Amino acid sequence: MTDFDESGRAAPAATGGIAARAMAARGTRSPDYLAGLNPEQRAAVETTEGPVLVLAGAGTGKTRVLTTRIAHILNLGLAFPSQILAVTFTNKAAREMKNRVGLLVGGAVEGMPWLGTFHSIGVKILRRHAELVGLKSNFTILDTDDQIRLIKQLIQAENLDDKRWPARTFANMMDGWKNKGLTPKDIPEGDARAFANGKGRELYAAYQARLMALNACDFGDLLMHPIALFRAHPDVLAEYHRRFKYILVDEYQDTNVAQYLWLRLLAQRPKDVPQNVCCVGDDDQSIYGWRGAEVDNILRFDKDFQGATVIRLERNYRSTAHILGAASHLIAHNEDRLGKTLFTDAADPEDPKVEVNAGWDSEEEARAIGEAIEDLQRRENHNLNDMAILVRASFQMREFEDRFVTMGLNYRVIGGPRFYERMEVRDALAYFRCVCQPADDLAFERIVNTPKRGLGDATIRLIHDYARARAIPLIAAAGEMAETEELKPKPRATLRRVVSDFRRWSELLATVKHTELAEQILEESGYTEMWQNDRSAEAPGRLENLKELVRSMEQYESLPTFLEHVALVMDTEQNAEMDAVSIMTLHSAKGLEFETVFLPGWEEGLFPHQRSLDEGGRSGLEEERRLAYVGLTRGKRRVKIWFVSNRRIHGLWQSTIPSRFLDELPEAHVEVMEANTSYGGYGGYGASRWDGASAFKEAAYTTPGWRRAQAANAGFTNTGKSGGDGWSGGRTREINYGEGGNARAGRGHNQPPRQGFGLHSSASKGGPREIEGELVAKSVVTEASRFAEGDRVFHLKFGNGTVANVEGNKLTVDFDKAGQKRVLEGFVEAV
DNA sequence: CGCCGATCGATTTTT
DNA sequence: TCGATCGGCG
């Protein structure tokens, strides 16, 4: 039924045959691309057969493993490029993978048609079998705008108050259901009831029916339909089973239930066929729970795939020992994790510790960070491109932007409103969609009256009714009505004009070059003119974007190809030419790395965000902590954390207290900085403000971390300008318990390194807790563990247990209550 | 149809 | 506080 491109060719056998010959031809020497891999990476690449889960910590060479694995499979002749299914979440990741595989195997990736995002692969499958789920192969893909407008119509059709039951809310709900793989009949009663007095289920069903009538899909359907298809048509599924000899999944921790179901259908073969599925991910970097990602997918991999090989990549090639130590220690506070500890061999005594800075308010924070950036730039000759500011919430960005504008510092905001989401671009695209797909009602609705042509609600309603009654597309209905008496002369004439325009453009599709046609459409429709006449400040930018849109079409062969691309990609590449500091959210920083990373806003309520705490409870907090972990591990060499004591939230100034995450950083790797603001540090204005900052002082005293700081300070200098609040002293202060008795702290509470194991050991009253950076232990200790199999140990979280296995400084312990866990030696003590 | 004032709400975001 | 969005009015 489906004509796969090389259905006629015999696939290479998984073993022997071509593979054997390839191996033989190469002799016993391993190929170059394996040369630079460490043993774990190499195992991940070479274990081609059977299910494999690669737990790849931040900066451990995950992408490298994935791409090398593909290259390896190809090189051994185990499969044709078209027999490898490689799925990513973002287009960017897909692009990068394609490029890197290309570099490894030398351009032959053209033939990797099944490397892409879940959604793009979903579309591809769906286009081949559209009829089987009730669609036509040329179905359109709705964007969020279209979706909302459609839902709004449905809500109104149900005579519901669309104010009380906003379309957006329902769109989000449906999105949630689709993320879970739920069809209208599957949604739980409670959920169905939650919207519009129990009409949720009907609305969802009505929406799906409407999409079918429109021959359209939303993003969720790109996963839902293939799942339904595979379930209802085992023969089709079997074809894909035969086709995909190897399956690879990137960022597995981010998969939602629907993606998981989709994947499981494809990956779980009949008994006799090997399940060559390799999932790569990091449970510690799962930060998309709120949009349906199920960490559980990664946690139960070996249950879904019997006999799975689990490989941990823990050797980090990105960050300094201090950064890794801080990150590892922080993330160890999470309970829901498989447990991994990053380490590096590259510990340089010159490496700066992770800095923690305090500021008065967000304005000062922005100013100080701006200065720090200039310092690095001027004194150390750093590129702005190597620095990034990672914020929790986008409102934090404005302060930095304002400041950098006045300073004249180049910056780049990553992740803002995207190109294809801009109004003018969407309008233009709607025109193109109408030309290519005359049945695209939503596109037609969007632009019938843009620019204003005097076709108001009334006229549109009439067209709608007419189209509905005869079950024809809007544009066809408009065409017919333009010839009847139903409309008043004026709108009738306009409508006739519009319809004939579209007809004409459609005819030109075959003959005129698509970029020229696009220009012509924008010109003749009056759309360009509309913006030329617009006096607002944005108008020139919008015209520029329209030009850019046409320009970006160049590289596609036709208008329809371009539209398909746009529907799935929704993004254009950033120009990385100028040297600029990046400002982005922690979420969008995942996967990136920078020499220097600034992490502002570490305050309770903002980070961890209050809403995560309220809505997500413990797991919400853990996700926030993973976010902190992601933030820290973006830094290669320098990480500078900030918190302030006053922040404006919803327009009101609120005093804030330092984030609990600060208390979860190991002191051995952290340096608490003096208030190094433009007010000249301590003294004068700066100090007096601290003095007045009762909120800060109180806050500071309430969290253990700052009590620690204070304690350290008390034994240090006691200049006591402001009553020894711990911040009035001179220079930078290092808080450095537990590391080689750095006596500056001057109190008798130091412990020798690696003996003062953290968290539990000396949390005695009054004295500061001892926290030892586990990374130090990890990277320095090579001697045998102080524990042996059978030893009884105590762990602060898991309680008492018996050591089952010792592996370096990692122990596998059978806890009496908590079951078997892998823990770091540093976290248990002998009983 | 278009403009203006009231009202609401305010993490994170991909496809 | 600020901004987007909606309903009412001219």
Side-chain angles (χ1 to χ4, degrees):
Chain A
M1 47 160 314
T2 315
D3 49 331
F4 288 131
D5 31 326
E6 60 292 288
S7 50
R9 279 153 70 190
T15 50
I18 295 174
R21 262 181 286 137
M23 291 291 266
R26 208 177 304 103
T28 48
R29 239 190 57 227
S30 58
D32 303 346
Y33 57 80
L34 294 177
L37 301 179
N38 68 39
E40 295 76 30
Q41 290 176 327
R42 194 163 167 155
V45 167
E46 292 189 312
T47 314
T48 56
E49 309 307 300
V52 177
L53 175 65
V54 180
L55 291 171
T60 56
K62 179 194 69 166
T63 311
R64 181 158 186 209
V65 162
L66 225 32
T67 51
T68 311
R69 186 179 164 95
I70 294 174
H72 190 60
I73 290 168
L74 294 175
N75 189 47
L76 292 187
L78 298 175
F80 288 123
S82 61
Q83 293 172 321
I84 298 176
L85 171 67
V87 225
T88 64
F89 271 82
T90 63
N91 291 294
K92 198 174 145 210
R95 223 179 298 134
E96 189 183 337
M97 214 194 275
K98 220 165 225 175
N99 289 339
R100 287 178 62 170
V101 175
L103 288 176
L104 283 171
V105 299
V109 251
E110 289 307 317
M112 283 213 45
W114 299 98
L115 191 168
T117 62
F118 277 98
H119 296 266
S120 67
I121 289 167
V123 178
K124 195 156 182 168
I125 292 174
L126 214 46
R127 293 237 188 261
R128 288 167 179 252
H129 313 281
E131 334 70 45
L132 296 180
V133 295
L135 288 165
K136 281 180 275 168
S137 165
N138 64 348
F139 61 83
T140 47
I141 302 163
L142 301 193
D143 61 34
T144 331
D145 260 24
D146 298 328
Q147 211 183 335
I148 304 265
R149 269 182 297 136
L150 202 154
I151 296 169
K152 198 170 221 165
Q153 289 171 10
L154 291 170
I155 288 178
Q156 283 163 351
E158 288 281 329
N159 277 324
L160 291 163
D161 181 0
D162 62 351
K163 188 108 196 233
R164 193 156 151 214
W165 307 108
R168 198 168 286 283
T169 310
F170 189 66
N172 289 334
M173 271 180 104
M174 261 194 327
D175 200 47
W177 292 329
K178 291 187 176 184
N179 283 159
K180 292 200 178 92
L182 303 173
T183 63
K185 63 175 170 28
D186 303 324
I187 57 176
E189 212 42 53
D191 276 24
R193 236 172 256 291
F195 194 83
N197 312 316
K199 294 224 170 126
R201 191 192 307 275
E202 286 127 84
L203 270 175
Y204 182 11
Y207 170 81
Q208 289 305 125
R210 191 86 187 85
L211 287 188
M212 281 297 167
L214 287 166
N215 189 32
C217 275
D218 63 20
F219 279 118
D221 291 339
L222 299 180
L223 291 167
M224 295 288 283
H225 286 318
I227 292 172
L229 169 78
F230 291 153
R231 284 182 175 158
H233 301 274
D235 53 318
V236 175
L237 180 60
E239 249 182 289
Y240 285 99
H241 280 166
R242 257 174 276 129
R243 157 160 292 256
F244 298 135
K245 294 213 162 339
Y246 293 91
I247 298 178
L248 294 94
V249 187
D250 192 16
E251 305 279 18
Y252 190 58
Q253 78 283 352
D254 287 340
T255 46
N256 60 35
V257 173
Q259 284 156 337
Y260 167 78
L261 293 170
W262 184 93
L263 204 62
R264 205 177 58 178
L265 282 163
L266 284 169
Q268 288 186 334
R269 316 300 177 83
K271 284 233 154 31
D272 47 324
V273 187
Q275 305 188 77
N276 296 329
V277 55
C278 173
C279 294
V280 180
D282 180 359
D283 50 319
D284 290 334
Q285 290 186 72
S286 161
I287 53 175
Y288 286 110
W290 52 275
R291 86 183 178 202
E294 284 278 339
V295 210
D296 215 42
N297 292 344
I298 201 168
L299 301 178
R300 67 161 183 242
F301 183 86
D302 51 354
K303 292 191 190 71
D304 291 322
F305 298 98
Q306 297 292 320
T309 310
V310 178
I311 297 168
R312 284 180 159 77
L313 303 183
E314 299 175 297
R315 182 180 297 267
N316 177 291
Y317 295 97
R318 179 188 293 156
S319 310
T320 66
H322 287 309
I323 293 173
L324 295 180
S328 297
H329 196 275
L330 176 104
I331 199 65
H333 289 77
N334 272 4
E335 286 173 35
D336 275 343
R337 62 193 293 256
L338 291 166
K340 251 183 302 70
T341 306
L342 297 179
F343 67 96
T344 177
D345 292 336
D348 182 340
E350 295 286 297
D351 287 339
K353 294 189 174 187
V354 170
E355 265 181 27
V356 175
N357 297 272
W360 169 249
D361 60 14
S362 47
E363 197 189 319
E364 186 184 281
E365 180 182 60
R367 185 169 45 234
I369 288 178
E371 276 162 22
I373 291 168
E374 280 194 329
D375 259 17
L376 287 170
Q377 193 185 13
R378 301 233 172 94
R379 284 199 223 148
E380 323 245 345
N381 253 336
H382 287 193
N383 286 329
L384 295 178
N385 279 334
D386 294 330
M387 299 183 234
I389 299 169
L390 311 183
V391 298
R392 173 67 244 267
S394 42
F395 74 82
Q396 293 173 259
M397 292 180 181
R398 227 187 79 183
E399 207 110 34
F400 290 102
E401 293 193 61
D402 287 352
R403 182 67 199 151
F404 294 173
V405 167
T406 45
M407 286 171 67
L409 185 68
N410 281 345
Y411 69 89
R412 153 170 51 222
V413 172
I414 312 248
R418 284 170 304 165
F419 185 71
Y420 292 124
E421 274 168 9
R422 287 158 209 257
M423 189 210 325
E424 67 278 15
V425 174
R426 289 200 151 166
D427 287 343
L429 289 172
Y431 271 100
F432 304 156
R433 278 162 61 188
C434 286
V435 171
C436 295
Q437 311 246 15
D440 195 331
D441 284 2
L442 290 157
F444 182 72
E445 257 175 76
R446 183 179 177 108
I447 44 77
V448 241
N449 202 31
T450 312
K452 303 279 182 262
R453 305 185 166 92
L455 297 170
D457 272 354
T459 316
I460 295 177
R461 176 106 321 142
L462 283 171
I463 301 174
H464 240 286
D465 294 346
Y466 188 88
R468 198 60 85 78
R470 331 218 143 182
I472 54 171
L474 287 180
I475 196 163
E480 290 183 25
M481 290 183 79
E483 307 305 329
T484 66
E485 301 295 314
E486 316 232 13
L487 295 173
K488 297 204 179 81
K490 225 207 261 161
R492 198 199 307 160
T494 321
L495 204 55
R496 189 179 296 147
R497 168 87 205 278
V498 171
V499 172
S500 76
D501 277 347
F502 276 113
R503 202 168 291 146
R504 186 160 35 83
W505 294 325
S506 298
E507 280 159 15
L508 292 175
L509 209 49
T511 52
V512 179
K513 195 186 169 207
H514 65 292
T515 46
E516 281 161 30
L517 179 58
E519 267 172 24
Q520 192 181 338
I521 294 169
L522 295 177
E523 207 54 53
E524 292 178 2
S525 62
Y527 193 72
T528 318
E529 195 188 352
M530 175 182 103
W531 288 115
Q532 281 161 351
N533 294 337
D534 190 306
R535 298 301 179 80
S536 66
E538 310 94 74
R542 298 196 194 270
L543 284 164
E544 191 44 52
N545 287 337
L546 291 174
K547 279 196 197 132
E548 173 61 34
L549 178 70
V550 175
R551 229 176 292 142
S552 70
M553 291 169 54
E554 279 289 344
Q555 47 181 313
Y556 297 87
E557 55 184 35
S558 68
L559 214 41
T561 341
F562 175 68
L563 289 175
E564 174 90 353
H565 162 82
V566 169
L568 290 171
V569 171
M570 300 300 292
D571 206 1
T572 48
E573 305 218 21
Q574 292 257 344
N575 71 318
E577 269 145 60
M578 75 169 179
D579 190 35
V581 187
S582 297
I583 306 176
M584 67 187 100
T585 63
L586 286 161
H587 283 91
S588 37
K590 194 167 79 155
L592 305 178
E593 58 178 33
F594 299 90
E595 206 60 29
T596 302
V597 163
F598 294 90
L599 301 172
W602 283 43
E603 297 124 37
E604 283 295 301
L606 177 57
F607 192 38
H609 200 281
Q610 193 56 45
R611 249 174 107 160
S612 296
L613 264 29
D614 293 345
E615 288 163 22
R618 197 207 72 192
S619 69
L621 172 64
E622 294 206 348
E623 184 155 311
E624 294 285 302
R625 194 177 279 119
R626 290 194 289 268
L627 210 41
Y629 175 79
V630 167
L632 289 166
T633 53
R634 297 312 93 197
K636 290 158 88 169
R637 197 168 150 74
R638 257 172 302 272
V639 171
K640 294 163 187 284
I641 301 172
W642 283 80
F643 72 91
V644 301
S645 29
N646 294 283
R647 194 173 288 276
R648 206 156 49 169
I649 297 165
H650 306 337
L652 294 170
W653 282 102
Q654 313 242 289
S655 59
T656 50
I657 65 172
S659 170
R660 69 190 73 186
F661 297 150
L662 292 169
D663 293 324
E664 297 173 355
L665 298 173
E667 315 230 1
H669 298 298
V670 170
E671 184 171 5
V672 178
M673 306 302 286
E674 163 60 24
N676 53 346
T677 72
S678 54
Y679 292 112
Y682 57 95
Y685 189 22
S688 64
R689 290 205 311 176
W690 289 115
D691 294 344
S694 63
F696 171 74
K697 281 200 285 181
E698 275 154 32
Y701 282 106
T702 55
T703 93
W706 304 100
R707 252 185 275 128
R708 261 190 333 253
Q710 187 206 355
N713 202 32
F716 176 37
T717 55
N718 201 7
T719 45
K721 248 188 203 132
S722 47
D725 67 13
W727 291 96
S728 56
R731 321 134 271 191
T732 298
R733 242 180 301 286
E734 290 185 21
I735 306 238
N736 213 350
Y737 310 105
E739 203 190 42
N742 181 335
R744 290 171 73 195
R747 281 275 186 93
H749 51 246
N750 292 316
Q751 296 209 345
R754 299 199 299 281
Q755 245 67 341
F757 296 98
L759 295 176
H760 56 283
S761 56
S762 59
S764 54
K765 310 168 198 93
R769 295 183 306 174
E770 306 290 335
I771 297 185
E772 170 57 51
E774 62 195 74
L775 189 87
V776 171
K778 175 73 199 178
S779 56
V780 177
V781 180
T782 45
E783 73 247 31
S785 170
R786 51 195 182 107
F787 296 102
E789 239 171 81
D791 283 358
R792 289 289 289 168
V793 293
F794 172 79
H795 184 280
L796 188 70
K797 278 190 198 107
F798 304 133
N800 289 310
T802 311
V803 176
N805 185 38
V806 183
E807 209 184 300
N809 65 341
K810 268 176 281 178
L811 311 175
T812 307
V813 180
D814 287 319
F815 287 104
D816 303 343
K817 297 231 171 73
Q820 195 175 78
K821 310 262 180 205
R822 268 162 69 93
V823 296
L824 269 181
E825 183 187 281
F827 284 99
V828 299
E829 57 186 14
V831 182

